[in-house]
Each structure stands twice: as C-alpha cells, then as structure tokens.
Amino acid sequence: MAAGMPDTAESPDKTRQRILTAAAEVFAETGFRNATIRQIVEKAGANIAAVNYHFGGKNQLYTAVFEQAMSAGFAEYPVNLDLPPDPTPEQRLLAFVRSFFLRAFVGQGCGTHLGRLILREMVEPTAELNRRITDTMRPMAEHLRQIVQQIVSRPLSDDEAFLFSTSIISQVVFHKHCREVIARMFPSRTYGRDELEQLARHVTDFSIAGLHAMRSKAIGKRAP
Amino acid sequence: MAAGMPDTAESPDKTRQRILTAAAEVFAETGFRNATIRQIVEKAGANIAAVNYHFGGKNQLYTAVFEQAMSAGFAEYPVNLDLPPDPTPEQRLLAFVRSFFLRAFVGQGCGTHLGRLILREMVEPTAELNRRITDTMRPMAEHLRQIVQQIVSRPLSDDEAFLFSTSIISQVVFHKHCREVIARMFPSRTYGRDELEQLARHVTDFSIAGLHAMRSKAIGKRAP
DNA sequence: TGACATTTGAAACGCACGTTTTAATACTGA
DNA sequence: TCAGTATTAAAACGTGCGTTTCAAATGTCA
C-alpha cells in the first residue's frame, strides 16, 4: 500500500499533487457529484486510473482536497489576523470578519476554493461537513460568541448568542453564497483586495452598531 | 400537441399535477442534476414516460416547478405583508424581512421548496436564475433600497445601497442557505412560527440600529 | 546491470441516467 | 356503440459515469 517515500506532501510536481490541485478547482467549480474524474485527470494531465491508485476513489480524493484547502486557508488567514496585542473587542471583530473574507476570496492555492467547497456542503452535505463543523466551525462560533459578548458587555443567553453571531457571519458568507446573483445584479462589483477591506469595515461597523443597540435588550423566545 | 382540454391548471389529481408536486420536492431536496426522473415519477405514482409526455423533458419540468413555486410563495406572502396604511420605514422593513422569512420557511404547497430551489441556483445556476432575477429579485432589491434610504434619511450612493441592502438580506437568507450547518451546530433550533417572528424582529432591529449608525457616514470605495 | 516494486496507460466493465419507441389502455364526442 | 384522440405503460436505446483490469513503462536498490 504505502510507497517507499513517506506520504508527507513533499514530492514537488508528482501526479498525486497535480491531481489534488486540479481536483480542488473542479470540485469547487462543479461540486462533488457533478465533477468527473475524467475532467480532473485531464486538467491534471494524468491518467484516469491515477485517482483510484493514489487516493482510492472519488470520495477519498474529495476528503483530501477538503483537508488541504481548509488547512491552507486558516494557515494563511487565521482568525486573529494582524491583531495587535491586547486588542479591543471591536478590533477582534474586525480581524474575525476580515480574515473570513480573505480566506473566502483571496486565499491562494486551494484556499480560494474553500468557500465554494463549503457552500457545496451546505447544499448537499457529505461526511466532510460533520468533520469540518467539529474541527473548525464550532471553535469559530465559540470565538465569535466571546467577541460578541465583550462588545455587548453583558452575558448572553444561547438564544441571543445565536442571533447575534448569525447576524454577523451571515453578512460575510452572503457574498460567497450568493455570488451568482450578485454578479448578475451588480456586474460592476468585484472582490479585489480594496473591496474586501471596504466590506470588512462595513460589516464590522454595521454589526457593532447593531450589537450596541442590543446592550440593554434581552431577547426571549417571544419578542414583545 | 395540445390536448382537447385547455392547459390551464385545473384537472385536480391528474398525472401532470402529481408530477409537478413530486418534482418540487425532489428538485428541492436533491437539486436539478442529482434529481432523477425515475425518482420523481415513482413519488408521483406515474410512468417514466409521463414527464416527457407532459412537460417535454427534465429541463422544462424544472422550469414549470420553479414558476409554480415562485408565484405561490409571493401570492401567499407579499413583501407588504400585514402592513398598515401609511407605514413607517421601520414597519416596511419589518414587513419585508418577515415576509421573506415566511416565504422561505412556511410557504405551503410548493412554497416551502422555493428557498431551496433558489439555493440550488446559487450553486449551479440554470437559465431559471436569470429569469427570476429580472422577474423578482431586481424589483425586490429596488424596494429594499427605497426602504433603506428612508431609514437612513439621506440619498445613498450605489455602493452604500449595495452594502446596506446585502447586510439586511444576508441575515435572512443565511438561515436558509446554512440550514445544514445550523441544524448540526444548534440542534435545538427550529423554524416554527414563533421562532420566525422572533428572527424577523431581531434582524429588523439589528439592521435598523446598523442603518441609523450609517446616517452620518459616507462610504467610498476605500475606507479611511 | 538486473530483479523487483511503483507508477502510468489504454481499454473495458457494470451501472444509472434521460430519452425514445411502440403498444396497450382510457377517454371523448357523434 | 364506435372511431379517434389523449394518456399510460413497458422495454429498450445511447451515453457518460466510477471503477477495474492488466500490461507497459518507470524508478529503486543489490
């Protein structure tokens, strides 16, 4: 089963790596089920049997792609990106939002495809989604909850934490998830570095204002 | 080609209608490409040839499903739902947000599936998306822009209108688009009538606070 | 170099899909 | 009732998919 060389990702231009790169693009572009192995190996310049030889099948290739994309994205843009020591809660929120945008839109290598891979998971979840939730999303949600709690400067019920956190995260992922609609309705909109910085600032400011308004407002299951 | 009877949707329990209903569920559940005609006709209790006979093929069946779902949803929950005469901008925003949630989560008949059908279009757009954008989304965006402009009580640049509107809409569609993640991370969360009312109130309040903070703040392409 | 494992290549297998075909059945109107 | 049409039914067609097979090519170490 195992080759003489270790599996650690070293070999520079080998077939395995080329397939991984090509598969990231194809999976992100067309989704798991629509993507075809023939399409992937053609883009990778490999033979059709190479996927089954190196990865064991389409499913395991997808898992490998997802892991590589996920770790690459967070390695390049951690949630505390560019944060000074002893940051204010508002600075922490900006870093959270900004790194999220960068991860979703400019992460180089496989990073760019991460957002689309996750969107695919939203629509047709595979076993990967459960892994990424416990690996990544749950810690991120807890991180965000603490930031929000600091900004509101009072303890939050689970209900409130849910509402506030989703209000913030939704403003980020929207631009990834609704990309096709945005591109059609606002053709002049692009997502270069400048626009992303502007977006991150806006989402942070907008959300902080919303959170400040919630400082003195308890939310129960039924609103008044 | 045409039958003796007119094509107007009258015949109560006929094969055509059963297929339409079944197809709405299957398309919403599994997407256009993953959905199979065999699966649809089995659920509808019809023969496999019936789809091609009544609709002309899988594509045209999808179009029919989408049109039915879209019109049913907006007929049941228009953007001005339950609005009093001479409403305030804040009331108009609540009605907009609330009807959006209801359309996405409780629309009966085919309405329930509408949100998921649209989500599918986000991921792999078909020709339907362009139609729905000009039919529905563009008017809705213009409607929202006017509400936002009233709340901010100053004219908005295109950039500002885009940012403010997406900040609001994103908070609604998030709950539909990220349904699979939310269900896994917050298993106790449901989307019954009470929760939807609470959500609509929260999103509206949160957004109004954000908008009020933007009253005196012009946004250019580059933030300070 | 030469034996041997690793990797590639081309062809084929088995399966599920959308669609078409062809015949049988149900319905309609004189 | 009985033509004639509309609808349903069953089987097959052609295609593309993931995967498998197995021989050829490539690399590795004595």
Side-chain angles (χ1 to χ4, degrees):
Chain A
M1 290 292 177
M5 279 287 110
D7 280 337
T8 56
E10 279 166 344
S11 29
D13 215 355
K14 296 303 296 294
T15 304
R16 188 191 146 96
Q17 187 55 45
R18 290 205 319 278
I19 289 177
L20 211 51
T21 303
E25 298 176 22
V26 175
F27 280 139
E29 204 69 39
T30 69
F32 174 71
R33 299 189 65 159
N34 299 336
T36 71
I37 291 188
R38 284 170 175 84
Q39 190 181 356
I40 291 170
V41 296
E42 185 191 15
K43 177 170 284 201
N47 187 268
I48 188 175
V51 165
N52 282 296
Y53 177 76
H54 285 284
F55 297 92
K58 193 184 179 186
N59 286 289
Q60 290 137 78
L61 172 60
Y62 185 67
T63 296
V65 163
F66 219 113
E67 276 171 356
Q68 165 156 330
M70 206 83 172
S71 62
F74 277 92
E76 199 171 357
Y77 300 107
V79 290
N80 289 325
L81 184 68
D82 295 337
L83 213 49
D86 291 324
T88 66
E90 286 78 9
Q91 287 175 320
R92 293 180 72 200
L93 182 59
L94 176 59
F96 181 90
V97 169
R98 182 165 166 266
S99 65
F100 209 141
F101 271 119
L102 294 173
R103 225 176 292 129
F105 282 95
V106 304
Q108 68 189 24
C110 295
T112 312
H113 312 303
L114 183 58
R116 305 180 81 166
L117 286 171
I118 292 178
L119 174 56
R120 295 281 173 177
E121 290 292 321
M122 305 288 173
V123 175
E124 34 187 276
T126 71
E128 287 308 299
L129 184 57
N130 292 320
R131 281 175 229 162
R132 300 313 146 201
I133 282 178
T134 54
D135 283 5
T136 309
M137 297 186 193
R138 211 180 282 282
M140 279 184 69
E142 187 50 38
H143 183 79
L144 179 58
R145 177 176 182 158
Q146 286 177 9
I147 295 175
V148 166
Q149 206 147 331
Q150 284 186 337
I151 293 177
V152 181
S153 50
R154 63 177 174 85
L156 298 177
S157 68
D158 286 352
D159 247 30
E160 289 172 321
F162 173 80
L163 292 175
F164 298 167
S165 298
T166 55
S167 279
I168 295 169
I169 287 188
S170 65
Q171 294 178 69
V172 181
V173 300
F174 176 83
H175 292 272
K176 201 73 188 179
H177 290 187
C178 296
R179 167 202 178 97
E180 297 291 344
V181 171
I182 293 171
R184 286 164 171 78
M185 291 188 62
F186 309 95
S188 63
R189 265 276 147 186
T190 58
Y191 288 90
R193 292 301 282 254
D194 288 355
E195 286 89 349
L196 290 176
E197 296 292 341
Q198 179 202 34
L199 259 178
R201 274 238 71 90
H202 161 72
V203 168
T204 305
D205 293 344
F206 190 93
S207 300
I208 286 174
L211 290 177
H212 282 173
M214 304 296 165
R215 273 187 165 144
S216 56
K217 187 175 198 168
I219 295 182
K221 266 286 176 185
R222 294 192 56 85
Chain B
M1 292 292 178
M5 278 286 111
D7 279 339
T8 56
E10 279 165 349
S11 28
D13 215 356
K14 296 304 295 294
T15 303
R16 188 190 145 94
Q17 186 55 46
R18 292 205 317 279
I19 289 177
L20 212 49
T21 304
E25 297 176 22
V26 175
F27 281 138
E29 203 70 37
T30 70
F32 174 71
R33 299 189 66 158
N34 299 336
T36 71
I37 291 187
R38 284 171 174 85
Q39 190 182 356
I40 291 170
V41 296
E42 185 192 16
K43 177 170 284 201
N47 186 269
I48 188 176
V51 165
N52 283 296
Y53 177 77
H54 286 284
F55 297 92
K58 192 185 180 184
N59 286 288
Q60 291 138 80
L61 172 60
Y62 185 65
T63 297
V65 163
F66 220 113
E67 276 171 354
Q68 166 156 329
M70 205 84 173
S71 61
F74 278 91
E76 200 171 356
Y77 300 107
V79 290
N80 290 324
L81 185 69
D82 297 337
L83 259 189
D86 291 323
T88 66
E90 285 78 10
Q91 286 175 321
R92 294 181 70 200
L93 182 59
L94 176 59
F96 181 90
V97 169
R98 182 166 167 264
S99 65
F100 208 141
F101 271 119
L102 294 172
R103 225 177 292 128
F105 282 96
V106 305
Q108 68 190 24
C110 295
T112 311
H113 311 302
L114 182 57
R116 304 181 81 168
L117 287 171
I118 292 179
L119 174 56
R120 294 283 175 178
E121 290 291 323
M122 305 289 172
V123 176
E124 34 188 276
T126 71
E128 288 308 300
L129 184 58
N130 291 320
R131 282 175 229 163
R132 300 315 146 200
I133 281 178
T134 55
D135 283 5
T136 310
M137 296 185 194
R138 213 179 280 283
M140 280 183 70
E142 187 50 39
H143 182 79
L144 179 58
R145 176 176 181 156
Q146 286 175 10
I147 295 175
V148 167
Q149 206 147 332
Q150 284 186 337
I151 292 177
V152 182
S153 50
R154 65 176 172 85
L156 297 178
S157 68
D158 286 353
D159 247 29
E160 288 172 322
F162 173 80
L163 292 174
F164 298 168
S165 298
T166 55
S167 279
I168 295 168
I169 287 188
S170 66
Q171 295 178 68
V172 181
V173 301
F174 176 84
H175 293 270
K176 200 73 187 179
H177 290 186
C178 297
R179 167 202 178 99
E180 298 291 344
V181 171
I182 293 171
R184 286 164 170 79
M185 292 189 60
F186 309 95
S188 64
R189 266 277 146 185
T190 57
Y191 289 89
R193 292 303 281 253
D194 289 355
E195 286 90 349
L196 290 176
E197 297 292 341
Q198 179 204 32
L199 258 178
R201 274 238 72 91
H202 162 73
V203 169
T204 306
D205 294 344
F206 190 92
S207 300
I208 287 174
L211 291 177
H212 281 174
M214 303 296 164
R215 272 185 167 147
S216 56
K217 187 175 198 168
I219 296 182
K221 266 285 174 185
R222 293 192 56 84

